[in-house]
Amino acid sequence: MKIIGSYPKTRLRRLRKAQWIRNLVSENNISHNDLVLPIFVREGKNKIESIKSMPGVKRYSIDKLPIILKQVKKFNIPMVAIFPYVANGKKDNLGTEALNPNNLICKSIRLIKKKFPQIGIMCDVALDPYTSHGHDGIIVNNKIDNDQTVKILVKQALLQAKMGCDMIAPSDMMDGRIGKIRKALEKANYKDVSLLSYAVKYASNYYGPFRDAVGSKSKLKQDKKTYQMDFRNSSEAFREVALDIKEGADMVMVKPGMIYLDIIKQIKNKFKVPVLAYQVSGEYFLIKNAIQKKILNDDSIIESLIAFKRAGASAILTYFAIDIAKKLKNI
Ligand code: PBG
């Protein structure tokens, strides 16, 4: 790019001299429409429980879900992502509870569809909240078995669609699952159900607090490196995205977010599909902790979210969604 102009004819500070002109020329902005709120649900009644590793984030029993959903509605957040904290007694080797039509996810979908029909619902397809070993797939001969897992994931996705889930989000990183799920959805006539593939999901160290929140952390004995991506790679991300689009994904996710902005930008430029970014639990913790200790100020949150927009993300999954939507409304 050729740089046009020179000092003193050109003084770039003229465009920064007051808030109004900065607003006028701003290249990227964020609104409530760009936010997705992850919500954790648990068994029981009348329970709103703090999560030690995620200050400010709670687990809700289903009867208490409306408390948070009212906020989502009030601040016009378009979609929520529901994650279950499954009781130990319900976990097994095969993640059987994932296919129970009365599990926490199914109950949550039914409640949201009935009481908050204007809110979009996104659900993870993966077995980790349900398995006794904390892995996203099932273990056969000491390995996470791709094809056996995909068979279960297809059933999990169909069940979510049947309950009314709007956006099915496979986060398991098995090969070929998008194609199989899309085919099954078509066959069962769920033509309007979107598939958001966690296409680029790295084997990240930043998922720790989330694993604590869904209760899989203490279960997990090894890492997830045989199925999630190696964080040294970027061209591999293109192969993942290309395959998933071909197999029928409507949108793709990059995860984690803040430390993978380079990947978001390249994928957006190359594929022109909606790219969502996940500001994951470890990234949330770093910012939240620094704000609570008064080392960073509140505006560091907006700055972190605008970075996703600048990189080309269409929307951001963030545990800050309500705080930020609230703040944006006051501006
Ligand atoms: C499960 C899943 C994970 C996250 C979302 N879905 C964790 C993992 O893969 O171990 C992480 C989200 C976060 O850290 O906020 N498949």
PDB file of all heavy atoms in Angstrom, residues 54 83 124-126 128-129 136 171-172 198 201 206-211 216 220 224 228 255 278-282 319, ligand 1:
ATOM      1  N   MET A  54     -14.142 -19.408  37.624  1.00  0.00           N
ATOM      2  CA  MET A  54     -14.722 -18.436  36.695  1.00  0.00           C
ATOM      3  C   MET A  54     -15.509 -17.383  37.483  1.00  0.00           C
ATOM      4  O   MET A  54     -16.745 -17.384  37.477  1.00  0.00           O
ATOM      5  CB  MET A  54     -15.636 -19.133  35.677  1.00  0.00           C
ATOM      6  CG  MET A  54     -14.875 -20.115  34.805  1.00  0.00           C
ATOM      7  SD  MET A  54     -15.871 -20.777  33.479  1.00  0.00           S
ATOM      8  CE  MET A  54     -16.003 -19.373  32.390  1.00  0.00           C
ATOM      9  N   PHE A  83     -24.381 -25.256  28.299  1.00  0.00           N
ATOM     10  CA  PHE A  83     -23.444 -26.329  28.662  1.00  0.00           C
ATOM     11  C   PHE A  83     -23.880 -26.977  29.979  1.00  0.00           C
ATOM     12  O   PHE A  83     -24.216 -26.269  30.926  1.00  0.00           O
ATOM     13  CB  PHE A  83     -22.029 -25.756  28.836  1.00  0.00           C
ATOM     14  CG  PHE A  83     -21.454 -25.206  27.563  1.00  0.00           C
ATOM     15  CD1 PHE A  83     -21.455 -23.838  27.312  1.00  0.00           C
ATOM     16  CD2 PHE A  83     -20.915 -26.054  26.604  1.00  0.00           C
ATOM     17  CE1 PHE A  83     -20.923 -23.317  26.135  1.00  0.00           C
ATOM     18  CE2 PHE A  83     -20.376 -25.545  25.422  1.00  0.00           C
ATOM     19  CZ  PHE A  83     -20.388 -24.179  25.186  1.00  0.00           C
ATOM     20  N   ASP A 124     -23.537 -27.539  22.167  1.00  0.00           N
ATOM     21  CA  ASP A 124     -22.351 -28.313  21.783  1.00  0.00           C
ATOM     22  C   ASP A 124     -22.730 -29.750  21.466  1.00  0.00           C
ATOM     23  O   ASP A 124     -23.546 -30.348  22.159  1.00  0.00           O
ATOM     24  CB  ASP A 124     -21.383 -28.361  22.968  1.00  0.00           C
ATOM     25  CG  ASP A 124     -20.210 -27.421  22.800  1.00  0.00           C
ATOM     26  OD1 ASP A 124     -20.418 -26.332  22.237  1.00  0.00           O
ATOM     27  OD2 ASP A 124     -19.099 -27.778  23.240  1.00  0.00           O
ATOM     28  N   VAL A 125     -22.113 -30.281  20.435  1.00  0.00           N
ATOM     29  CA  VAL A 125     -22.161 -31.723  20.212  1.00  0.00           C
ATOM     30  C   VAL A 125     -20.763 -32.238  20.562  1.00  0.00           C
ATOM     31  O   VAL A 125     -19.789 -31.886  19.906  1.00  0.00           O
ATOM     32  CB  VAL A 125     -22.520 -32.052  18.750  1.00  0.00           C
ATOM     33  CG1 VAL A 125     -22.260 -33.524  18.454  1.00  0.00           C
ATOM     34  CG2 VAL A 125     -23.980 -31.719  18.479  1.00  0.00           C
ATOM     35  N   ALA A 126     -20.688 -32.999  21.638  1.00  0.00           N
ATOM     36  CA  ALA A 126     -19.430 -33.590  22.132  1.00  0.00           C
ATOM     37  C   ALA A 126     -19.818 -34.351  23.383  1.00  0.00           C
ATOM     38  O   ALA A 126     -20.849 -34.052  23.991  1.00  0.00           O
ATOM     39  CB  ALA A 126     -18.401 -32.519  22.479  1.00  0.00           C
ATOM     40  N   ASP A 128     -17.826 -34.822  26.208  1.00  0.00           N
ATOM     41  CA  ASP A 128     -17.020 -34.609  27.425  1.00  0.00           C
ATOM     42  C   ASP A 128     -17.793 -34.308  28.711  1.00  0.00           C
ATOM     43  O   ASP A 128     -17.377 -34.743  29.767  1.00  0.00           O
ATOM     44  CB  ASP A 128     -15.913 -33.571  27.181  1.00  0.00           C
ATOM     45  CG  ASP A 128     -16.449 -32.265  26.636  1.00  0.00           C
ATOM     46  OD1 ASP A 128     -17.269 -32.297  25.704  1.00  0.00           O
ATOM     47  OD2 ASP A 128     -16.059 -31.202  27.130  1.00  0.00           O
ATOM     48  N   PRO A 129     -18.928 -33.600  28.669  1.00  0.00           N
ATOM     49  CA  PRO A 129     -19.607 -33.403  29.958  1.00  0.00           C
ATOM     50  C   PRO A 129     -20.225 -34.701  30.495  1.00  0.00           C
ATOM     51  O   PRO A 129     -20.601 -34.776  31.655  1.00  0.00           O
ATOM     52  CB  PRO A 129     -20.720 -32.397  29.633  1.00  0.00           C
ATOM     53  CG  PRO A 129     -20.397 -31.842  28.292  1.00  0.00           C
ATOM     54  CD  PRO A 129     -19.625 -32.906  27.578  1.00  0.00           C
ATOM     55  N   ASP A 136     -14.011 -36.094  24.702  1.00  0.00           N
ATOM     56  CA  ASP A 136     -15.129 -35.721  23.828  1.00  0.00           C
ATOM     57  C   ASP A 136     -15.686 -36.910  23.059  1.00  0.00           C
ATOM     58  O   ASP A 136     -16.751 -36.830  22.453  1.00  0.00           O
ATOM     59  CB  ASP A 136     -14.673 -34.658  22.824  1.00  0.00           C
ATOM     60  CG  ASP A 136     -14.311 -33.353  23.503  1.00  0.00           C
ATOM     61  OD1 ASP A 136     -13.773 -33.407  24.625  1.00  0.00           O
ATOM     62  OD2 ASP A 136     -14.550 -32.286  22.923  1.00  0.00           O
ATOM     63  N   SER A 171     -18.245 -29.733  18.776  1.00  0.00           N
ATOM     64  CA  SER A 171     -16.993 -29.190  19.325  1.00  0.00           C
ATOM     65  C   SER A 171     -16.013 -30.311  19.636  1.00  0.00           C
ATOM     66  O   SER A 171     -15.050 -30.126  20.350  1.00  0.00           O
ATOM     67  CB  SER A 171     -17.284 -28.395  20.599  1.00  0.00           C
ATOM     68  OG  SER A 171     -17.686 -29.261  21.627  1.00  0.00           O
ATOM     69  N   ASP A 172     -16.280 -31.463  19.058  1.00  0.00           N
ATOM     70  CA  ASP A 172     -15.580 -32.702  19.420  1.00  0.00           C
ATOM     71  C   ASP A 172     -14.294 -32.950  18.626  1.00  0.00           C
ATOM     72  O   ASP A 172     -13.452 -33.734  19.036  1.00  0.00           O
ATOM     73  CB  ASP A 172     -16.513 -33.861  19.137  1.00  0.00           C
ATOM     74  CG  ASP A 172     -17.009 -33.772  17.700  1.00  0.00           C
ATOM     75  OD1 ASP A 172     -17.895 -32.937  17.426  1.00  0.00           O
ATOM     76  OD2 ASP A 172     -16.466 -34.482  16.829  1.00  0.00           O
ATOM     77  N   TYR A 198     -17.167 -26.141  15.239  1.00  0.00           N
ATOM     78  CA  TYR A 198     -15.931 -25.740  15.890  1.00  0.00           C
ATOM     79  C   TYR A 198     -14.843 -26.354  14.996  1.00  0.00           C
ATOM     80  O   TYR A 198     -14.249 -27.374  15.322  1.00  0.00           O
ATOM     81  CB  TYR A 198     -15.801 -26.346  17.271  1.00  0.00           C
ATOM     82  CG  TYR A 198     -16.618 -25.774  18.409  1.00  0.00           C
ATOM     83  CD1 TYR A 198     -17.973 -26.070  18.546  1.00  0.00           C
ATOM     84  CD2 TYR A 198     -16.023 -24.990  19.402  1.00  0.00           C
ATOM     85  CE1 TYR A 198     -18.700 -25.588  19.636  1.00  0.00           C
ATOM     86  CE2 TYR A 198     -16.748 -24.514  20.498  1.00  0.00           C
ATOM     87  CZ  TYR A 198     -18.083 -24.823  20.601  1.00  0.00           C
ATOM     88  OH  TYR A 198     -18.786 -24.369  21.682  1.00  0.00           O
ATOM     89  N   LYS A 201     -10.390 -25.877  16.341  1.00  0.00           N
ATOM     90  CA  LYS A 201     -10.337 -25.926  17.797  1.00  0.00           C
ATOM     91  C   LYS A 201      -8.994 -26.496  18.216  1.00  0.00           C
ATOM     92  O   LYS A 201      -8.661 -27.638  17.905  1.00  0.00           O
ATOM     93  CB  LYS A 201     -11.470 -26.792  18.318  1.00  0.00           C
ATOM     94  CG  LYS A 201     -11.474 -26.908  19.821  1.00  0.00           C
ATOM     95  CD  LYS A 201     -12.732 -27.551  20.319  1.00  0.00           C
ATOM     96  CE  LYS A 201     -12.682 -27.704  21.812  1.00  0.00           C
ATOM     97  NZ  LYS A 201     -13.900 -28.344  22.298  1.00  0.00           N
ATOM     98  N   TYR A 206      -6.001 -23.154  27.612  1.00  0.00           N
ATOM     99  CA  TYR A 206      -6.876 -22.096  28.122  1.00  0.00           C
ATOM    100  C   TYR A 206      -8.310 -22.557  28.388  1.00  0.00           C
ATOM    101  O   TYR A 206      -9.185 -21.739  28.595  1.00  0.00           O
ATOM    102  CB  TYR A 206      -6.856 -20.897  27.165  1.00  0.00           C
ATOM    103  CG  TYR A 206      -5.543 -20.145  27.223  1.00  0.00           C
ATOM    104  CD1 TYR A 206      -4.402 -20.635  26.604  1.00  0.00           C
ATOM    105  CD2 TYR A 206      -5.434 -18.952  27.946  1.00  0.00           C
ATOM    106  CE1 TYR A 206      -3.193 -19.968  26.678  1.00  0.00           C
ATOM    107  CE2 TYR A 206      -4.232 -18.274  28.022  1.00  0.00           C
ATOM    108  CZ  TYR A 206      -3.114 -18.790  27.387  1.00  0.00           C
ATOM    109  OH  TYR A 206      -1.914 -18.117  27.482  1.00  0.00           O
ATOM    110  N   TYR A 207      -8.573 -23.874  28.310  1.00  0.00           N
ATOM    111  CA  TYR A 207      -9.919 -24.385  28.582  1.00  0.00           C
ATOM    112  C   TYR A 207     -10.119 -24.809  30.040  1.00  0.00           C
ATOM    113  O   TYR A 207     -11.194 -25.256  30.409  1.00  0.00           O
ATOM    114  CB  TYR A 207     -10.238 -25.613  27.702  1.00  0.00           C
ATOM    115  CG  TYR A 207     -10.114 -25.422  26.206  1.00  0.00           C
ATOM    116  CD1 TYR A 207      -9.724 -26.482  25.385  1.00  0.00           C
ATOM    117  CD2 TYR A 207     -10.412 -24.206  25.609  1.00  0.00           C
ATOM    118  CE1 TYR A 207      -9.609 -26.327  24.005  1.00  0.00           C
ATOM    119  CE2 TYR A 207     -10.285 -24.045  24.222  1.00  0.00           C
ATOM    120  CZ  TYR A 207      -9.878 -25.113  23.439  1.00  0.00           C
ATOM    121  OH  TYR A 207      -9.773 -24.949  22.086  1.00  0.00           O
ATOM    122  N   GLY A 208      -9.057 -24.680  30.843  1.00  0.00           N
ATOM    123  CA  GLY A 208      -9.105 -25.195  32.215  1.00  0.00           C
ATOM    124  C   GLY A 208     -10.339 -24.794  33.018  1.00  0.00           C
ATOM    125  O   GLY A 208     -11.054 -25.664  33.532  1.00  0.00           O
ATOM    126  N   PRO A 209     -10.636 -23.489  33.125  1.00  0.00           N
ATOM    127  CA  PRO A 209     -11.788 -23.097  33.945  1.00  0.00           C
ATOM    128  C   PRO A 209     -13.115 -23.674  33.422  1.00  0.00           C
ATOM    129  O   PRO A 209     -13.970 -24.063  34.212  1.00  0.00           O
ATOM    130  CB  PRO A 209     -11.782 -21.560  33.847  1.00  0.00           C
ATOM    131  CG  PRO A 209     -10.384 -21.195  33.478  1.00  0.00           C
ATOM    132  CD  PRO A 209      -9.864 -22.322  32.642  1.00  0.00           C
ATOM    133  N   PHE A 210     -13.268 -23.797  32.106  1.00  0.00           N
ATOM    134  CA  PHE A 210     -14.489 -24.385  31.536  1.00  0.00           C
ATOM    135  C   PHE A 210     -14.617 -25.846  31.978  1.00  0.00           C
ATOM    136  O   PHE A 210     -15.686 -26.308  32.357  1.00  0.00           O
ATOM    137  CB  PHE A 210     -14.451 -24.307  30.011  1.00  0.00           C
ATOM    138  CG  PHE A 210     -15.576 -25.039  29.299  1.00  0.00           C
ATOM    139  CD1 PHE A 210     -16.720 -24.358  28.881  1.00  0.00           C
ATOM    140  CD2 PHE A 210     -15.493 -26.409  29.034  1.00  0.00           C
ATOM    141  CE1 PHE A 210     -17.752 -25.029  28.224  1.00  0.00           C
ATOM    142  CE2 PHE A 210     -16.511 -27.084  28.382  1.00  0.00           C
ATOM    143  CZ  PHE A 210     -17.639 -26.400  27.971  1.00  0.00           C
ATOM    144  N   ARG A 211     -13.520 -26.572  31.923  1.00  0.00           N
ATOM    145  CA  ARG A 211     -13.570 -27.995  32.305  1.00  0.00           C
ATOM    146  C   ARG A 211     -13.961 -28.122  33.768  1.00  0.00           C
ATOM    147  O   ARG A 211     -14.652 -29.063  34.149  1.00  0.00           O
ATOM    148  CB  ARG A 211     -12.214 -28.662  32.017  1.00  0.00           C
ATOM    149  CG  ARG A 211     -11.993 -28.800  30.520  1.00  0.00           C
ATOM    150  CD  ARG A 211     -10.669 -29.468  30.184  1.00  0.00           C
ATOM    151  NE  ARG A 211     -10.425 -29.395  28.747  1.00  0.00           N
ATOM    152  CZ  ARG A 211      -9.258 -29.649  28.177  1.00  0.00           C
ATOM    153  NH1 ARG A 211      -8.230 -30.005  28.917  1.00  0.00           N
ATOM    154  NH2 ARG A 211      -9.130 -29.562  26.868  1.00  0.00           N
ATOM    155  N   SER A 216     -15.507 -31.722  34.143  1.00  0.00           N
ATOM    156  CA  SER A 216     -14.739 -32.776  33.470  1.00  0.00           C
ATOM    157  C   SER A 216     -13.252 -32.711  33.823  1.00  0.00           C
ATOM    158  O   SER A 216     -12.491 -33.619  33.519  1.00  0.00           O
ATOM    159  CB  SER A 216     -14.926 -32.687  31.950  1.00  0.00           C
ATOM    160  OG  SER A 216     -14.295 -31.535  31.445  1.00  0.00           O
ATOM    161  N   LEU A 220     -10.378 -35.918  33.598  1.00  0.00           N
ATOM    162  CA  LEU A 220      -9.510 -36.003  32.427  1.00  0.00           C
ATOM    163  C   LEU A 220      -8.087 -36.390  32.817  1.00  0.00           C
ATOM    164  O   LEU A 220      -7.419 -35.673  33.555  1.00  0.00           O
ATOM    165  CB  LEU A 220      -9.520 -34.637  31.732  1.00  0.00           C
ATOM    166  CG  LEU A 220      -9.128 -34.566  30.281  1.00  0.00           C
ATOM    167  CD1 LEU A 220     -10.048 -35.416  29.410  1.00  0.00           C
ATOM    168  CD2 LEU A 220      -9.196 -33.108  29.806  1.00  0.00           C
ATOM    169  N   LYS A 224      -5.978 -33.612  25.052  1.00  0.00           N
ATOM    170  CA  LYS A 224      -6.866 -33.920  23.926  1.00  0.00           C
ATOM    171  C   LYS A 224      -6.134 -33.775  22.584  1.00  0.00           C
ATOM    172  O   LYS A 224      -6.738 -33.519  21.547  1.00  0.00           O
ATOM    173  CB  LYS A 224      -8.097 -33.012  23.979  1.00  0.00           C
ATOM    174  CG  LYS A 224      -8.930 -33.187  25.255  1.00  0.00           C
ATOM    175  CD  LYS A 224     -10.264 -32.440  25.195  1.00  0.00           C
ATOM    176  CE  LYS A 224     -11.110 -32.700  26.436  1.00  0.00           C
ATOM    177  NZ  LYS A 224     -12.436 -32.035  26.374  1.00  0.00           N
ATOM    178  N   GLN A 228      -7.830 -32.602  19.032  1.00  0.00           N
ATOM    179  CA  GLN A 228      -7.839 -31.148  18.849  1.00  0.00           C
ATOM    180  C   GLN A 228      -6.530 -30.712  18.179  1.00  0.00           C
ATOM    181  O   GLN A 228      -5.530 -31.415  18.229  1.00  0.00           O
ATOM    182  CB  GLN A 228      -8.023 -30.462  20.208  1.00  0.00           C
ATOM    183  CG  GLN A 228      -9.355 -30.864  20.857  1.00  0.00           C
ATOM    184  CD  GLN A 228      -9.604 -30.184  22.195  1.00  0.00           C
ATOM    185  OE1 GLN A 228      -8.704 -29.605  22.791  1.00  0.00           O
ATOM    186  NE2 GLN A 228     -10.837 -30.279  22.684  1.00  0.00           N
ATOM    187  N   LYS A 255     -11.269 -21.253  17.994  1.00  0.00           N
ATOM    188  CA  LYS A 255     -11.254 -21.360  19.449  1.00  0.00           C
ATOM    189  C   LYS A 255      -9.927 -21.900  19.934  1.00  0.00           C
ATOM    190  O   LYS A 255      -9.477 -22.903  19.389  1.00  0.00           O
ATOM    191  CB  LYS A 255     -12.387 -22.299  19.837  1.00  0.00           C
ATOM    192  CG  LYS A 255     -12.470 -22.634  21.283  1.00  0.00           C
ATOM    193  CD  LYS A 255     -13.631 -23.542  21.484  1.00  0.00           C
ATOM    194  CE  LYS A 255     -13.593 -23.974  22.911  1.00  0.00           C
ATOM    195  NZ  LYS A 255     -14.391 -25.132  23.128  1.00  0.00           N
ATOM    196  N   TYR A 278     -14.446 -17.751  19.908  1.00  0.00           N
ATOM    197  CA  TYR A 278     -14.778 -18.080  21.302  1.00  0.00           C
ATOM    198  C   TYR A 278     -13.702 -17.499  22.212  1.00  0.00           C
ATOM    199  O   TYR A 278     -12.561 -17.942  22.183  1.00  0.00           O
ATOM    200  CB  TYR A 278     -14.852 -19.597  21.463  1.00  0.00           C
ATOM    201  CG  TYR A 278     -15.649 -20.110  22.645  1.00  0.00           C
ATOM    202  CD1 TYR A 278     -16.445 -21.248  22.526  1.00  0.00           C
ATOM    203  CD2 TYR A 278     -15.624 -19.477  23.885  1.00  0.00           C
ATOM    204  CE1 TYR A 278     -17.191 -21.736  23.607  1.00  0.00           C
ATOM    205  CE2 TYR A 278     -16.353 -19.955  24.956  1.00  0.00           C
ATOM    206  CZ  TYR A 278     -17.130 -21.088  24.820  1.00  0.00           C
ATOM    207  OH  TYR A 278     -17.857 -21.570  25.891  1.00  0.00           O
ATOM    208  N   GLN A 279     -14.088 -16.481  22.977  1.00  0.00           N
ATOM    209  CA  GLN A 279     -13.188 -15.975  24.011  1.00  0.00           C
ATOM    210  C   GLN A 279     -13.318 -16.962  25.177  1.00  0.00           C
ATOM    211  O   GLN A 279     -14.283 -16.910  25.933  1.00  0.00           O
ATOM    212  CB  GLN A 279     -13.604 -14.567  24.435  1.00  0.00           C
ATOM    213  CG  GLN A 279     -12.647 -13.921  25.420  1.00  0.00           C
ATOM    214  CD  GLN A 279     -13.070 -12.503  25.768  1.00  0.00           C
ATOM    215  OE1 GLN A 279     -14.220 -12.249  26.122  1.00  0.00           O
ATOM    216  NE2 GLN A 279     -12.153 -11.561  25.671  1.00  0.00           N
ATOM    217  N   VAL A 280     -12.380 -17.885  25.253  1.00  0.00           N
ATOM    218  CA  VAL A 280     -12.591 -19.043  26.125  1.00  0.00           C
ATOM    219  C   VAL A 280     -12.357 -18.717  27.603  1.00  0.00           C
ATOM    220  O   VAL A 280     -11.885 -17.629  27.956  1.00  0.00           O
ATOM    221  CB  VAL A 280     -11.705 -20.249  25.698  1.00  0.00           C
ATOM    222  CG1 VAL A 280     -12.056 -20.698  24.289  1.00  0.00           C
ATOM    223  CG2 VAL A 280     -10.225 -19.938  25.844  1.00  0.00           C
ATOM    224  N   SER A 281     -12.670 -19.709  28.411  1.00  0.00           N
ATOM    225  CA  SER A 281     -12.681 -19.515  29.862  1.00  0.00           C
ATOM    226  C   SER A 281     -11.342 -19.009  30.420  1.00  0.00           C
ATOM    227  O   SER A 281     -11.338 -18.157  31.310  1.00  0.00           O
ATOM    228  CB  SER A 281     -13.085 -20.818  30.539  1.00  0.00           C
ATOM    229  OG  SER A 281     -12.232 -21.874  30.123  1.00  0.00           O
ATOM    230  N   GLY A 282     -10.236 -19.515  29.907  1.00  0.00           N
ATOM    231  CA  GLY A 282      -8.935 -19.068  30.407  1.00  0.00           C
ATOM    232  C   GLY A 282      -8.676 -17.610  30.046  1.00  0.00           C
ATOM    233  O   GLY A 282      -8.086 -16.854  30.826  1.00  0.00           O
ATOM    234  N   TYR A 319     -18.063 -14.890  27.994  1.00  0.00           N
ATOM    235  CA  TYR A 319     -18.701 -14.896  29.316  1.00  0.00           C
ATOM    236  C   TYR A 319     -18.977 -13.471  29.790  1.00  0.00           C
ATOM    237  O   TYR A 319     -19.640 -13.271  30.797  1.00  0.00           O
ATOM    238  CB  TYR A 319     -17.810 -15.658  30.312  1.00  0.00           C
ATOM    239  CG  TYR A 319     -17.557 -17.081  29.851  1.00  0.00           C
ATOM    240  CD1 TYR A 319     -16.390 -17.424  29.167  1.00  0.00           C
ATOM    241  CD2 TYR A 319     -18.520 -18.063  30.031  1.00  0.00           C
ATOM    242  CE1 TYR A 319     -16.165 -18.714  28.704  1.00  0.00           C
ATOM    243  CE2 TYR A 319     -18.314 -19.359  29.570  1.00  0.00           C
ATOM    244  CZ  TYR A 319     -17.137 -19.674  28.902  1.00  0.00           C
ATOM    245  OH  TYR A 319     -16.939 -20.951  28.434  1.00  0.00           O
TER     246      TYR A 319
HETATM  247  C1  PBG B   1     -16.056 -29.312  24.977  1.00  0.00           C
HETATM  248  C2  PBG B   1     -15.802 -27.862  25.007  1.00  0.00           C
HETATM  249  C3  PBG B   1     -14.707 -27.213  25.610  1.00  0.00           C
HETATM  250  C4  PBG B   1     -14.994 -25.844  25.506  1.00  0.00           C
HETATM  251  C5  PBG B   1     -16.208 -25.695  24.835  1.00  0.00           C
HETATM  252  N1  PBG B   1     -16.684 -26.949  24.509  1.00  0.00           N
HETATM  253  C6  PBG B   1     -13.523 -27.722  26.342  1.00  0.00           C
HETATM  254  C7  PBG B   1     -12.647 -28.737  25.788  1.00  0.00           C
HETATM  255  O1  PBG B   1     -12.617 -29.018  24.588  1.00  0.00           O
HETATM  256  O2  PBG B   1     -11.951 -29.353  26.603  1.00  0.00           O
HETATM  257  C8  PBG B   1     -14.108 -24.768  26.076  1.00  0.00           C
HETATM  258  C9  PBG B   1     -14.750 -23.460  26.358  1.00  0.00           C
HETATM  259  C10 PBG B   1     -14.003 -22.552  27.260  1.00  0.00           C
HETATM  260  O3  PBG B   1     -12.858 -22.827  27.697  1.00  0.00           O
HETATM  261  O4  PBG B   1     -14.565 -21.495  27.581  1.00  0.00           O
HETATM  262  N2  PBG B   1     -15.910 -30.020  23.837  1.00  0.00           N
END
